[in-house]
Amino acid sequence: EIRALTIGGKQSTISGKIECTTALQYIIEQEDVGDEISRSHKALYPNYSWAIRDVDDLTDPRRGYVLTLQAGGALEALLSDADFLRGYAKWIAYRSLGPENLFIFRAETGAVLTSSRLGVPATLLFRAGGDQSVRGYEYLSLGIQEAGAVVGGRYLAVASAEYVRWIVPNWGAAVFYDVGDAFDELGDFKANAGYGLGARWKSPVGPVGLDVAYGEEAHTIRLHFSLGVSF
């Protein structure tokens, strides 16, 4: 259970396909893990984000890529509980071979550089799993096991490959393979794989997806629903 108060502001500028955002947040957080652990965090967190969306269609991309980069940090001497640097990157690429075949590739990575995750707000750490991460696993269920719960780790690594075959103009079928983890030490990465089949519909507001995925490590089958394009 996480209770957080965030106060801040941001400024965004858009120039063509590029969007830049500068933000400053002050985060006060109370985190309760199970019945045994209770801890508080605070951080004055400046963050810079840079994104490019170079796709042929924002609601139905078939060609191009999207890249998002973020960097931020905090200093213990400036109203924070710990010194840390945080970086994050997400890349999505679309490749079509004719009107009927579409390939989607996705990669996501992040790191919080600090000696310990204790003192870093939980909202700035990483977890994985879910519709836009590793399918076949519950939302944000991949992370650090602590006191019977899953908490965020200092590192994130996720990759995905998907093939969509459009059977008729607005309906198609998909096959996909996802793998990833959130972890606290570089040697602790575990390749949690999820794979399965899905249906796609080109709606007026973007693609609608329904996936049936098997989580190899969890030994479970899950349904995943998505609407629109995740940038």
Side-chain angles (χ1 to χ4, degrees):
E1 182 178 329
I2 300 170
R3 298 182 296 276
L5 171 65
T6 302
I7 303 170
K10 66 179 182 179
Q11 181 181 29
S12 297
T13 59
I14 298 176
S15 177
K17 300 175 181 178
I18 296 175
E19 180 177 358
C20 300
T21 301
T22 303
L24 178 65
Q25 298 174 303
Y26 188 58
I27 303 168
I28 303 172
E29 189 178 87
Q30 178 67 38
E31 180 184 23
D32 296 326
V33 185
D35 298 325
E36 305 172 2
I37 300 173
S38 180
R39 53 195 176 218
S40 60
H41 314 106
K42 61 180 183 294
L44 182 64
Y45 181 68
N47 181 66
Y48 180 77
S49 177
W50 181 91
I52 180 170
R53 301 177 181 91
D54 188 7
V55 292
D56 58 339
D57 191 318
L58 289 175
T59 61
D60 181 27
R62 297 185 54 83
R63 192 171 59 253
Y65 70 96
V66 178
L67 176 64
T68 301
L69 302 173
Q70 297 178 3
L75 292 173
E76 190 173 355
L78 294 177
L79 304 175
S80 303
D81 286 340
D83 298 329
F84 65 89
L85 293 173
R86 184 183 188 274
Y88 172 81
K90 185 175 183 180
W91 171 79
I92 308 173
Y94 300 89
R95 298 290 184 268
S96 62
L97 297 177
E100 299 175 344
N101 303 293
L102 175 65
F103 293 88
I104 304 172
F105 303 98
R106 173 169 48 90
E108 187 178 11
T109 186
V112 175
L113 302 180
T114 183
S115 57
S116 170
R117 59 184 164 83
L118 301 180
V120 179
T123 49
L124 298 179
L125 297 172
F126 300 104
R127 288 185 288 169
D131 302 340
Q132 303 297 328
S133 180
V134 185
R135 286 164 285 190
Y137 300 85
E138 190 176 350
Y139 178 63
L140 299 184
S141 64
L142 300 176
I144 310 302
Q145 295 287 336
E146 184 179 30
V150 178
V151 300
R154 291 186 294 157
Y155 300 99
L156 173 72
V158 173
S160 172
E162 179 174 321
Y163 166 68
V164 180
R165 171 75 176 186
W166 295 106
I167 301 169
V168 295
N170 292 327
W171 289 91
V175 59
F176 57 87
Y177 184 90
D178 302 339
V179 63
D181 194 17
F183 47 104
D184 214 33
E185 301 290 341
L186 290 176
D188 292 342
F189 172 78
K190 188 174 184 180
N192 301 286
Y195 42 84
L197 303 171
R200 299 290 181 268
W201 172 49
K202 292 183 182 180
S203 79
V205 295
V208 176
L210 180 63
D211 295 324
V212 180
Y214 175 71
E216 196 170 75
E217 298 297 326
H219 305 291
T220 58
I221 296 175
R222 300 188 65 86
L223 288 174
H224 295 275
F225 176 79
S226 60
L227 171 63
V229 180
S230 176
F231 288 146

